[in-house]
Amino acid sequence: MEKKRLWRRYFIGLFFCFALFLMGHQTEAKQNITVVIDPGHGGSGVDNEAELGAIYHDKYEKEMTLEIAKAMKEELEQYSNLTVVLTREEDRGISLEERAQIAAQVGGDILISLHLNASLGHEMYGAEIWTSAFGEYYAAGRGLGETFLKELTELGLADRSIKTKLSREGNDYYGIIRHGVSLGIPTIIVEHGHMDSKDWEYMDSQEKLRELGKRDANAVAKYYGLKKNVYKAKVEPTVIVETPLEPVLPDTTDPDKVELILLDYDRTTGIAHFELSAVEEESKLMYYAISTDAGKEWGELTLWPKDTGTVAIEMDLGKDFDKEVVAKVYNNYEGNTESNPLKISPYLEEEVKEEKKAADPVSEDSILPLEEKEPVERIEESLPILDTPVFEESPIPKGNPIEEKKTIETKAELPEESTTREEVYLLLGAVTAGILVTGILIVMLLWSRTIVKRKKRERQRRIRMGMETFEYKMGRRT
């Protein structure tokens, strides 16, 4: 009986595992997919300003997201194997939890919340995707987010990546993602671009908003491999991301090792070339900005080149620029680090010195050594002799000709005097050396004589001691 029970339990367990496998297989490949689109925000904003969303250019985010969502729904409904549901079809207030519950009630396979972005400094730009940081929800959100970013970047928006964010309690930070995951629905937030920056050109009309909606629809269709008016026997994701075992944490650090190097500066044209380098190990480098007044004001953010840690920068600083230049580098989580400040004035001073040297070079041929100059007598010989007329009186010399002759002879003998002085110095050196050598020899001679006398006295002392010893042995000592 016991063996039968064991076998029965074994087959029941095996059947249960097989059933779970079939159920899991059915969730991966389905005949129909339900896509729930959530137009972000909505409501009067009287009791809750978050209902309005961002407000720029006299436009409300809540209205723009609804326009994008309707265009996305219209486009997706042309594909087979899809059911499309909006969490709201009009301007009304609805909580984040209610949005997730609507998705669960209709059997939603994915929940996509549509938004438009803004930044505190109004300088950021680009599209980004937010997803859950946990397990299969991260894998599904990342795979879906990749197709969205590909569509939006092809339109011209910058890629700010697929990111996660956690609350202090360690859960997903954004409520719509947190509520969707709690109900078992992979959820993402699509931030199409920034209303308060140059991204506005992609959303400043109804036609452009509808274009964003069509791009979103294309992303969903490509994720599931769908085609218009073509029915598929099964639908499954085309982008497979491995499920992480641990939560995918956001980057909370700033870029590291940010260094700015001045390569050259042309004072005449004002053009300067720099090299900016940085390291970002946890996410990716996103932008950089330059300040030409030691960080008081910053220029526009420039995209960091993809897959490189160094960027070459050319700037027109103007002529005779002598202020401090500093750079700031951002990662895609908006963490930022300033570089070392660069003073252009030392480089400018060095360049001015080089220019002066080039303009007024010192030629060695123009300065002759003293011994190579022509003597005064030779110069006088080379002067032309002027014949004085016979009947013309010669001018009376103002000075004493004898003294002038002595002066000329003295000037002509200057090199010889310098040579005699050198000989005197050499002679004095030789005499000094001779005196030192003689002194050393005398000292050595005296020392040797002292040693000889000392040895002689020592020999005599030993002889006397020997004689005294001999007399003692012979009995002569009393």
Side-chain angles (χ1 to χ4, degrees):
M1 293 293 293
E2 293 295 333
K3 290 183 177 181
K4 289 183 178 180
R5 289 179 181 176
L6 290 174
W7 278 106
R8 185 180 300 171
R9 291 177 181 176
Y10 173 75
F11 281 114
I12 291 174
L14 185 64
F15 176 77
F16 180 73
C17 292
F18 182 70
L20 287 177
F21 171 75
L22 290 177
M23 291 174 64
H25 183 70
Q26 288 178 356
T27 57
E28 292 179 1
K30 303 175 67 174
Q31 292 181 343
N32 191 73
I33 297 295
T34 300
V35 178
V36 180
I37 304 171
D38 174 43
H41 305 285
S44 63
V46 175
D47 299 326
N48 186 0
E49 292 183 359
E51 293 179 349
L52 302 176
I55 306 172
Y56 291 95
H57 308 285
D58 296 327
K59 297 291 183 180
Y60 294 97
E61 183 183 355
K62 65 173 185 175
E63 299 171 351
M64 299 170 70
T65 56
L66 184 58
E67 190 69 42
I68 295 172
K70 289 180 178 180
M72 181 181 179
K73 182 176 183 293
E74 291 177 11
E75 186 71 15
L76 277 176
E77 286 176 340
Q78 300 181 37
Y79 292 87
S80 302
N81 303 87
L82 277 182
T83 300
V84 187
V85 178
L86 295 179
T87 59
R88 67 179 180 94
E89 297 186 7
E90 58 186 8
D91 181 17
R92 68 185 184 92
I94 179 173
S95 69
L96 300 177
E97 187 176 4
E98 289 174 337
R99 298 167 196 258
Q101 289 175 350
I102 292 172
Q105 290 170 3
V106 299
D109 293 285
I110 55 174
L111 173 57
I112 303 169
S113 187
L114 306 181
H115 287 263
L116 298 169
N117 217 338
S119 61
L120 292 176
H122 311 301
E123 76 276 22
M124 304 295 172
Y125 56 91
E128 62 190 9
I129 309 295
W130 295 95
T131 185
S132 173
F134 302 95
E136 60 183 320
Y137 300 103
Y138 171 81
R142 181 171 185 84
L144 184 60
E146 288 179 3
T147 59
F148 270 84
L149 282 180
K150 186 175 181 181
E151 287 290 324
L152 294 175
T153 53
E154 286 179 357
L155 183 62
L157 289 157
D159 181 358
R160 285 168 54 95
S161 303
I162 302 166
K163 301 184 282 189
T164 64
K165 189 173 183 179
L166 299 180
S167 65
R168 293 181 180 179
E169 293 76 19
N171 302 320
D172 288 314
Y173 175 83
Y174 292 107
I176 188 67
I177 295 177
R178 187 171 61 252
H179 292 304
V181 168
S182 68
L183 297 174
I185 306 173
T187 306
I188 66 171
I189 296 175
V190 181
E191 294 282 3
H192 293 85
H194 292 67
M195 295 175 61
D196 57 342
S197 71
K198 62 182 182 180
D199 287 343
W200 178 249
E201 64 178 298
Y202 297 100
M203 57 189 77
D204 60 359
S205 67
Q206 184 181 18
E207 292 75 15
K208 292 180 180 180
L209 292 174
R210 292 187 62 82
E211 176 63 24
L212 290 175
K214 291 179 181 180
R215 293 276 177 172
D216 292 345
N218 293 340
V220 173
K222 290 179 180 179
Y223 177 70
Y224 286 111
L226 303 177
K227 296 182 179 180
K228 292 182 178 180
N229 302 318
V230 176
Y231 186 81
K232 296 182 66 174
K234 63 178 182 178
V235 179
E236 56 187 353
T238 59
V239 182
I240 306 301
V241 177
E242 185 178 355
T243 301
L245 300 178
E246 300 291 336
V248 179
L249 302 179
D251 184 0
T252 58
T253 63
D254 299 329
D256 193 20
K257 299 179 181 178
V258 178
E259 183 180 11
L260 183 65
I261 301 174
L262 176 64
L263 300 179
D264 59 69
Y265 170 62
D266 189 340
R267 185 170 57 88
T268 58
T269 63
I271 302 298
H273 294 90
F274 299 90
E275 183 179 87
L276 179 61
S277 59
V279 174
E280 179 53 74
E281 297 180 352
E282 296 187 24
S283 55
K284 75 171 187 178
L285 297 171
M286 189 69 206
Y287 318 100
Y288 69 88
I290 302 294
S291 171
T292 57
D293 56 4
K296 295 178 181 178
E297 294 184 5
W298 294 92
E300 293 184 359
L301 295 184
T302 304
L303 285 177
W304 192 275
K306 188 178 181 181
D307 300 327
T308 180
T310 304
V311 58
I313 303 171
E314 180 180 286
M315 292 188 66
D316 186 357
L317 299 178
K319 299 179 180 180
D320 298 330
F321 180 86
D322 61 349
K323 300 179 182 178
E324 276 190 355
V325 178
V326 64
K328 185 186 291 186
V329 178
Y330 296 78
N331 60 23
N332 59 326
Y333 280 84
E334 299 184 11
N336 62 84
T337 303
E338 290 188 13
S339 73
N340 54 295
L342 271 182
K343 291 185 177 180
I344 309 298
S345 52
Y347 187 90
L348 181 62
E349 291 172 1
E350 190 65 27
E351 185 176 328
V352 171
K353 290 180 182 178
E354 292 294 330
E355 289 180 358
K356 288 183 178 180
K357 186 176 180 180
D360 187 20
V362 180
S363 176
E364 294 182 356
D365 297 334
S366 62
I367 302 177
L368 294 175
L370 184 60
E371 58 271 10
E372 292 183 5
K373 289 186 177 181
E374 294 186 1
V376 178
E377 293 180 355
R378 190 178 303 172
I379 295 174
E380 290 180 351
E381 292 176 0
S382 62
L383 293 175
I385 300 174
L386 300 177
D387 296 331
T388 305
V390 178
F391 301 102
E392 186 177 350
E393 294 183 357
S394 300
I396 301 174
K398 295 182 180 180
N400 190 346
I402 299 176
E403 294 296 332
E404 290 182 1
K405 184 177 181 181
K406 287 183 179 180
T407 304
I408 294 173
E409 291 177 355
T410 304
K411 291 181 179 179
E413 292 175 359
L414 280 177
E416 296 181 1
E417 181 180 348
S418 61
T419 305
T420 306
R421 187 177 300 172
E422 292 178 359
E423 292 178 355
V424 171
Y425 289 156
L426 291 174
L427 181 59
L428 289 175
V431 171
T432 303
I435 293 172
L436 288 175
V437 173
T438 304
I440 292 171
L441 292 176
I442 293 172
V443 171
M444 291 177 65
L445 179 60
L446 294 175
W447 179 256
S448 62
R449 290 184 63 184
T450 302
I451 293 175
V452 171
K453 289 181 179 179
R454 187 179 298 174
K455 288 182 178 180
K456 185 176 180 181
R457 287 197 299 269
E458 181 68 20
R459 191 180 303 113
Q460 292 175 355
R461 187 179 64 83
R462 289 179 180 177
I463 292 172
R464 287 198 303 271
M465 289 181 65
M467 293 297 293
E468 290 176 356
T469 305
F470 177 75
E471 289 177 358
Y472 176 79
K473 288 181 179 181
M474 295 297 295
R476 293 180 180 180
R477 183 177 296 273
T478 58

